[in-house]
């Protein structure tokens, strides 16, 4: 149930339920009293009650409209007595507290009691006499001889201990009790569906602010509260995720520092060793000195390249390198790349070939320099990890509906399946590459950042000892006719 419906239902229920309960309980009460206790509180009795009241009123009116002295006339007295007899009622006429006419014998004390009650409580018309109840009406009159008179009209209303006012009182009590019970039930309902879940949310927010995220917010209560619980749970999961990411980030920062220190320390230690060798005179011939210096130079270059890679990587990581995208003919671009590097590869006995499998050439939006950096990184790896006498690199250009797929395949050492998922991670180097060959472990990580900067994807497939293919996908722009 939603909050609005519950509120509307509660508002209606708070009136309807007590009224219905009161009605049902009243009828049940009447039924029980009538059937089992033999108290006549039925409709017939109510009817008679109102009839008597009405007749008394009419009789009263007819007396007032005539001269009060008429009451002393026997003929009028008989007329009144006959009328009242019809409804089982009686009349007592008093003149100066003396009875001048009566259809019912009543002691003077009871008569005085009636007069006193009607004087003190003008609206009350019920009098108890000897355990019997009478509907009474007292009319004060002045006779023409100035003597004061009173007319008492009375009708027997039963001798029941269970009177209408008692019945009405019970009805009121039943209404109040059912009203209170309805309230209690509704409040309990509100508490179960709104207050309790809100309390749980409050508890949950306390836990979160105390840094405890290891719990679950269970949906409970009305629709709106359930939605609130869901949002709360989503927020908790987001916080868990962000904590996890933060931890991963911290771990990777620590790892980065340790990798940098390690990878820089190795060549620097060896530079130090060679320089010491020269200083200590271990390199005691000019040829040896030259060899040592060449090694120092090459190691310094390696450190220099590593630092360059590291700077570029961290700039790309911080999005500090703006990309300069240009509309480029993709086939032309790769032909140029191959022309540039072909001779260098031929020198190390590696043949390179472009296989254009596109039906049409396409324009792509690329940063030419950065993409060249990617191509060179990949071709460098093919060169570094080439173990065949006749190396072969094939570049395939293919297309899907929306992208150009570039595959750079070599027939080098290949990559072990356990290493394959990690080669694009920064500083990751397969164990086999770690010892023997130069490299920063950043080449493919940089390539990945550059390709992702183009909105593309990069991945690799490989077969150990046979071949490695690095695949790049870049969105097509438009066909070149
Ligand atoms: P590195 O500077 O070590 O070459 P990269 O990020 O360029 O760093 O490559 C990460 C690792 O992936 C390399 O250390 C190597 O083990 C593996 N690798 C990348 N390309 C090739 C390839 N063409 N053939 C075999 N192994 C490769």
């Amino acid at each position: 149930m939603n909050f609005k419906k519950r509120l509307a239902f509660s508002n209606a229920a708070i009136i309807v339920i007590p009224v219905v309960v009161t009605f049902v309980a009243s009828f049940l009460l009447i039924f029980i009293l009538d059937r089992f206790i033999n108290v006549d509180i039925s409709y017939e009795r109510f009817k008679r009650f109102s009839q008597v009241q009405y007749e008394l009123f009419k009789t009263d009116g007819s007396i007032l409209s005539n001269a009060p002295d008429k009451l002393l006339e026997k003929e009028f007295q008989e007329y009144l007595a006959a009328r009242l007899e019809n409804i089982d009622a009686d009349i007592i006429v008093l003149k100066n507290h003396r009875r001048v006419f009566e259809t019912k014998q009543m002691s003077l004390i009871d008569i005085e009691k009636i007069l006193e009650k009607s004087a003190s409580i003008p609206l009350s018309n019920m009098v108890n006499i000897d355990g019997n109840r009478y509907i009474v009406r007292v009319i004060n009159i002045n006779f023409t001889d100035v003597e004061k008179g009173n007319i008492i009209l009375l009708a027997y209303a039963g001798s029941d201990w269970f009177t209408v006012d008692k019945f009405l009182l019970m009805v009121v009590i039943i209404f109040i009790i059912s009203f209170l019970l309805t309230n209690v039930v509704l409040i309990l309902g509100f508490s179960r569906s709104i207050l309790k879940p809100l309390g749980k949310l409050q508890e949950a927010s306390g836990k979160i602010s105390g840094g405890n995220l290891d719990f679950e917010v269970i949906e409970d209560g009305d629709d709106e509260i359930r939605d609130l619980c869901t949002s709360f749970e989503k927020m908790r999961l987001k916080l868990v995720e962000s904590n996890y990411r933060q931890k991963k980030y911290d771990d990777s920062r620590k790892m980065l520092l340790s990798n940098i220190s390690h990878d820089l320390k190795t060549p620097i230690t060896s530079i130090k060793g060679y320089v010491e060798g020269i200083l200590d005179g271990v390199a005691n011939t000019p040829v040896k000195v030259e060899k040592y210096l060449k090694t120092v130079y090459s190691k310094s270059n390696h450190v220099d390249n590593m630092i360059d890679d590291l700077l570029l990587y961290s700039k790309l990581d911080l999005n500090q390198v703006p990309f300069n995208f240009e509309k480029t003919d993709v086939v032309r671009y790769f032909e140029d790349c191959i022309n540039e590097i072909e001779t260098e590869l031929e020198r190390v006995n590696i043949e390179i070939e472009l296989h254009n499998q596109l039906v049409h050439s396409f324009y792509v939006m690329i940063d030419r320099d950065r993409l060249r950096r990617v191509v060179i990184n990949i071709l460098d790896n093919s060169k570094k990890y080439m173990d065949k006498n006749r190396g072969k690199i094939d570049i395939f250009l293919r297309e899907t509906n929306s992208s150009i797929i570039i595959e750079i395949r070599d027939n080098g050492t290949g990559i072990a399946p356990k290493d394959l998922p990690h080669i694009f991670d920064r500083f990751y180097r397969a164990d086999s590459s770690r010892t023997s060959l130069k490299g920063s472990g950043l080449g493919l990580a940089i390539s990945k950042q550059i390709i992702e900067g183009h909105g593309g994807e990069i991945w690799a497939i490989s077969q150990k000892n046979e071949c490695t293919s690095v695949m790049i996908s870049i969105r097509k722009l438009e066909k070149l006719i």
Side-chain angles (χ1 to χ4, degrees):
M1 194 187 286
N2 69 28
F3 200 65
K4 266 190 203 159
K5 273 190 196 156
R6 177 175 293 277
L7 217 62
F9 170 78
S10 302
N11 283 344
I14 223 159
I15 301 295
V16 173
I17 293 176
V19 168
V20 171
V21 168
T22 308
F23 262 101
V24 172
S26 306
F27 279 111
L28 263 175
L29 193 66
I30 291 170
F31 177 77
I32 291 166
L33 288 172
D34 191 31
R35 272 288 165 90
F36 303 105
I37 312 175
N38 217 10
V39 171
D40 179 15
I41 195 154
S42 61
Y43 170 68
E44 282 306 316
R45 180 176 158 185
F46 278 112
K47 213 168 97 182
R48 179 174 137 62
F49 218 81
S50 31
Q51 252 180 4
V52 169
Q53 294 250 35
Y54 175 68
E55 279 298 329
L56 286 181
F57 178 75
K58 258 177 45 188
T59 312
D60 160 12
S62 73
I63 294 168
L64 288 177
S65 61
N66 291 288
D69 282 356
K70 218 171 170 195
L71 280 167
L72 303 174
E73 290 170 15
K74 200 163 173 35
E75 205 179 317
F76 186 64
Q77 286 174 351
E78 274 168 8
Y79 161 74
L80 278 179
R83 250 188 99 162
L84 290 169
E85 202 183 343
N86 282 342
I87 56 159
D88 237 355
D90 289 290
I91 184 166
I92 300 170
V93 180
L94 300 172
K95 190 175 180 202
N96 209 6
H97 294 272
R98 274 177 295 106
R99 281 173 278 195
V100 289
F101 169 62
E102 60 186 359
T103 58
K104 181 174 176 61
Q105 292 281 318
M106 205 171 256
S107 74
L108 261 175
I109 297 172
D110 288 338
I111 290 172
E112 284 307 320
K113 191 174 153 188
I114 293 171
L115 291 177
E116 198 189 317
K117 181 144 190 215
S118 82
S120 59
I121 319 170
L123 288 175
S124 168
N125 60 355
M126 294 301 287
V127 178
N128 254 328
I129 294 165
D130 295 336
N132 292 325
R133 292 163 52 76
Y134 293 92
I135 308 166
V136 172
R137 180 146 191 113
V138 176
I139 307 146
N140 298 320
I141 49 171
N142 287 319
F143 289 102
T144 38
D145 57 4
V146 201
E147 276 200 292
K148 283 194 187 304
N150 309 90
I151 306 164
I152 300 171
L153 299 167
L154 68 166
Y156 181 62
S159 60
D160 312 332
W161 54 268
F162 194 82
T163 55
V164 173
D165 32 350
K166 275 186 192 153
F167 174 73
L168 288 177
L169 185 69
M170 274 191 90
V171 168
V172 171
I173 290 171
I174 290 171
F175 181 81
I176 291 172
I177 290 174
S178 56
F179 179 77
L180 291 177
L181 281 178
T182 312
N183 263 285
V184 168
V185 170
L186 290 175
I187 286 169
L188 282 178
F190 260 98
S191 158
R192 219 190 55 234
S193 57
I194 296 167
L195 299 180
K196 256 195 195 160
L198 280 180
K200 278 188 193 161
L201 282 181
Q202 200 179 12
E203 198 183 310
S205 70
K207 279 185 188 167
I208 289 176
S209 60
N212 175 9
L213 295 171
D214 198 13
F215 62 94
E216 195 182 339
V217 182
I218 294 160
E219 282 182 18
D220 194 10
D222 280 355
D223 294 353
E224 289 85 349
I225 309 284
R226 292 179 90 84
D227 291 349
L228 196 61
C229 290
T230 314
S231 313
F232 218 86
E233 178 62 5
K234 274 188 194 155
M235 181 188 81
R236 186 189 71 82
L237 290 174
K238 277 254 156 64
L239 282 173
V240 170
E241 194 189 309
S242 111
N243 275 6
Y244 171 75
R245 251 192 277 128
Q246 181 66 36
K247 190 175 173 306
K248 230 179 123 184
Y249 174 76
D250 286 347
D251 288 350
S252 104
R253 200 167 43 89
K254 281 182 204 154
M255 188 80 126
L256 182 70
L257 274 174
S258 111
N259 283 334
I260 293 171
S261 334
H262 175 265
D263 285 16
L264 284 177
K265 195 170 168 49
T266 318
I268 285 173
T269 312
S270 90
I271 290 172
K272 221 175 114 198
Y274 283 104
V275 173
E276 273 169 6
I278 296 170
L279 290 175
D280 295 348
V282 179
N284 47 10
T285 62
V287 179
K288 265 192 182 171
V289 170
E290 194 190 337
K291 197 181 153 204
Y292 274 37
L293 283 176
K294 273 189 178 160
T295 315
V296 168
Y297 178 72
S298 122
K299 297 269 176 198
S300 313
N301 264 345
H302 179 50
V303 172
D304 196 31
N305 288 340
M306 262 183 82
I307 291 172
D308 279 351
D309 278 357
L310 199 60
L311 276 174
L312 177 61
Y313 177 81
S314 67
K315 275 186 186 167
L316 286 165
D317 203 28
L318 295 168
N319 285 328
Q320 279 181 351
V321 190
F323 281 81
N324 177 25
F325 291 109
E326 287 168 286
K327 199 167 151 186
T328 309
D329 172 352
V330 69
V331 179
R332 197 30 103 68
Y333 180 80
F334 277 94
E335 282 168 354
D336 290 350
C337 281
I338 286 171
N339 283 340
E340 246 176 63
I341 201 161
E342 206 168 21
T343 347
E344 199 188 317
L345 288 172
E346 266 169 14
R347 257 195 279 129
V348 286
N349 222 4
I350 297 174
E351 184 195 340
I352 185 162
E353 199 178 341
L354 179 70
H355 305 267
N356 178 11
Q357 297 178 350
L358 300 172
V359 180
H360 305 279
S361 189
F362 283 91
Y363 278 128
V364 281
M365 283 302 274
I366 53 169
D367 180 325
R368 292 183 199 165
D369 291 338
R370 301 245 169 275
L371 193 66
R372 185 166 286 112
R373 176 73 194 243
V374 173
V375 176
I376 285 171
N377 280 353
I378 296 169
L379 293 177
D380 258 359
N381 281 346
S382 298
K383 202 168 83 181
K384 272 194 286 183
Y385 306 111
M386 179 56 69
D387 58 350
K388 311 286 179 316
N389 290 334
R390 267 246 35 98
K392 181 85 204 290
I393 300 174
D394 295 294
I395 301 183
F396 296 92
L397 299 180
R398 301 193 192 96
E399 64 182 299
T400 64
N401 282 345
S402 55
S403 307
I404 301 277
I405 309 285
I406 303 135
E407 177 182 353
I408 303 176
R409 187 196 295 171
D410 66 52
N411 61 343
T413 56
I415 304 167
K418 75 170 174 55
D419 294 320
L420 202 57
H422 306 291
I423 59 169
F424 294 97
D425 296 348
R426 62 190 174 199
F427 294 112
Y428 189 86
R429 308 188 69 204
D431 291 340
S432 49
S433 345
R434 209 160 262 286
T435 44
S436 52
L437 294 156
K438 289 178 186 174
S440 64
L442 283 169
L444 288 182
I446 289 171
S447 305
K448 186 171 186 229
Q449 275 175 325
I450 293 174
I451 295 300
E452 283 174 356
H454 281 75
E457 277 179 75
I458 184 166
W459 68 100
I461 42 180
S462 179
Q463 273 190 333
K464 192 75 188 133
N465 299 325
E466 276 186 33
C467 62
T468 300
S469 287
V470 178
M471 321 280 289
I472 297 169
S473 81
I474 293 180
R475 238 174 301 128
K476 288 197 269 203
L477 204 61
E478 60 192 62
K479 221 168 8 186
L480 264 168
I481 317 231

